[in-house]
Amino acid sequence: MVIAFIPVRGGSKSIPLKNIKNFCGKPLVCWNIEALERCKLVDEIIIATDSSEIAEVVNSQNYKKTRVYWRSAENAVDTASTESVMLEYIEKESIPINNTFMLVQATSPMTQTEHFTEALTKYNAENIDSLLSCVRNFRFFWNPDGTSKNYDFMNRPRRQDFDGELMENGAFYINSVGNILQSKNRLSGKIGIYIMPEYTAAEIDEPDDWIVLESLMKRHVLNNPSKESNSIELFISDVDGTLTDGGMYYSESGEELKKFNTRDGMGFQILHEAGIKTGIITSENTSIVSRRAQKLNVDFLIQGEKFGGKLNAIKELCEKENIPIEKVAYIGDDINCIELLKNVGYPACPNDAQYAVKEIPGIKVLSCCGGSGVVREFIDLLLQKRCQ
């Protein structure tokens, strides 16, 4: 059983009753509740509060999986830790130790159903004890003594060549009830990381945060309504930096080589079995890609610049095949992919994609990097949603 636990006090000082304050058209706490209600992996949603006003708002929504838990006054003061109310609930309600417990923060309203689903899937599939959500931060950090923490300032990297640092975004944490009882902490043992899009880095703590997050919500979530994945008719992938790691390899004789990932190949096979047409598009024209496309048995291979750019090439293909571009899924990583990514119905990019690509509204930033099975990750995600 999976329990999603959302602690919401009524005594916030910086923004009074912020958890039920109107955020982009609905009470703040409702954004996470509704995303969790849609998550098929979550069995029960607990709103731990001390406020009758918060309870009234939650109960008025007639949610199916959500109920209010009245936390003690002792664990509703400013000095009480989140762990204290978690442990209070677990012990008072005698929650079985083998249950999965997901702590969710209402101050991170941009967390979507897909984020909860993917993170729980990762938690269940991998050999880890607990998991937390992070974003990749591309800032350079310094020590007070004038030494740099995470880069060589004498060889300052370009942003797109910098791996960045993983930063906790506070959206959610997953652990077993047994581990929480033993460690008295939301995290313990071997910890896994679920990487979320950069725009989810901010949390609502101060009034200025509210303004910033409402703007981000409108740009990245509200302007990207959820779509039915069973409408996908065409899957297209870029090559360098997506199907490959973007590296240029040369043999002793000077022959150019590229490294592909076998898991991506299986992904294309799965798409064929699902009845979805597939294609590869690249601005280069090489025999290596031709051979790989033949091996993958793709329906369409578009190479070179003769089509006047990737967007025009796919538009022409869609017109010929009578496929609306809204029913196209595309994964790319660099600036020459941007226009196409902005126009397809299902855009995605590797985690190490160029920064401007990752900032495209509504794009799915995947956890894998180029050449590391990221295309398969996208395919699995699309087909998982298709079956829901």
Side-chain angles (χ1 to χ4, degrees), residues 113-353:
T113 300
E114 65 184 51
H115 299 140
F116 293 126
T117 301
E118 291 167 14
L120 284 166
T121 300
K122 179 182 176 75
Y123 175 74
N124 292 328
E126 297 185 3
N127 183 29
I128 54 178
D129 299 300
S130 57
L131 177 147
L132 77 157
S133 60
C134 291
V135 296
R136 197 170 289 278
N137 187 296
F138 291 91
R139 298 284 186 175
F140 295 130
F141 294 99
W142 288 75
N143 296 304
D145 64 358
T147 57
S148 57
K149 280 187 175 182
N150 63 339
Y151 82 113
D152 178 5
F153 68 90
M154 295 297 292
N155 295 284
R156 190 181 187 92
R158 298 182 305 162
R159 184 183 177 93
Q160 58 266 39
D161 297 327
F162 177 55
D163 290 336
E165 300 282 350
L166 290 176
M167 181 183 79
E168 192 171 329
N169 70 346
F172 57 82
Y173 307 81
I174 304 175
N175 206 341
S176 71
V177 170
N179 286 342
I180 293 170
L181 287 170
Q182 183 176 19
S183 67
K184 311 298 183 187
N185 198 290
R186 69 190 74 182
L187 295 170
S188 58
K190 184 179 180 181
I191 300 172
I193 305 292
Y194 174 72
I195 301 175
M196 294 179 65
E198 283 185 78
Y199 64 81
T200 65
E203 298 178 79
I204 296 177
D205 291 316
E206 302 296 333
D208 285 349
D209 299 334
W210 198 280
I211 298 169
V212 172
L213 261 74
E214 279 201 316
S215 177
L216 290 170
M217 186 74 153
K218 291 172 184 176
R219 178 182 178 188
H220 293 285
V221 179
L222 300 182
N223 287 338
N224 181 42
S226 60
K227 314 175 186 77
E228 293 296 329
S229 296
N230 58 13
S231 67
I232 296 172
E233 296 183 15
L234 175 61
F235 180 93
I236 301 288
S237 177
D238 178 37
V239 178
D240 291 324
T242 304
L243 281 170
T244 79
D245 60 3
M248 302 293 289
Y249 302 91
Y250 294 93
S251 68
E252 189 69 28
S253 61
E255 180 186 9
E256 182 181 322
L257 307 171
K258 294 181 186 291
K259 180 171 74 72
F260 295 90
N261 191 291
T262 57
R263 291 193 296 274
D264 292 340
M266 180 58 70
F268 277 89
Q269 181 178 326
I270 293 170
L271 288 173
H272 283 298
E273 293 171 355
I276 297 173
K277 293 182 178 180
T278 61
I280 288 174
I281 186 168
T282 175
S283 56
E284 293 188 335
N285 196 336
T286 67
S287 59
I288 300 175
V289 174
S290 297
R291 291 196 298 272
R292 184 58 178 164
Q294 185 177 13
K295 177 78 173 178
L296 296 177
N297 193 30
V298 298
D299 297 289
F300 310 104
L301 172 61
I302 301 172
Q303 294 197 85
E305 295 289 351
K306 60 182 179 180
F307 291 95
K310 293 183 177 181
L311 176 59
N312 288 337
I314 297 305
K315 280 185 174 179
E316 184 173 318
L317 175 62
C318 287
E319 184 176 351
K320 180 181 177 182
E321 298 294 321
N322 195 29
I323 297 174
I325 199 164
E326 293 80 12
K327 295 188 176 184
V328 175
Y330 175 61
I331 177 169
D333 73 303
D334 214 331
I335 56 174
N336 62 338
C337 301
I338 289 177
E339 289 306 311
L340 179 54
L341 287 165
K342 285 182 177 180
N343 281 270
V344 298
Y346 304 87
C349 69
N351 197 265
D352 58 347

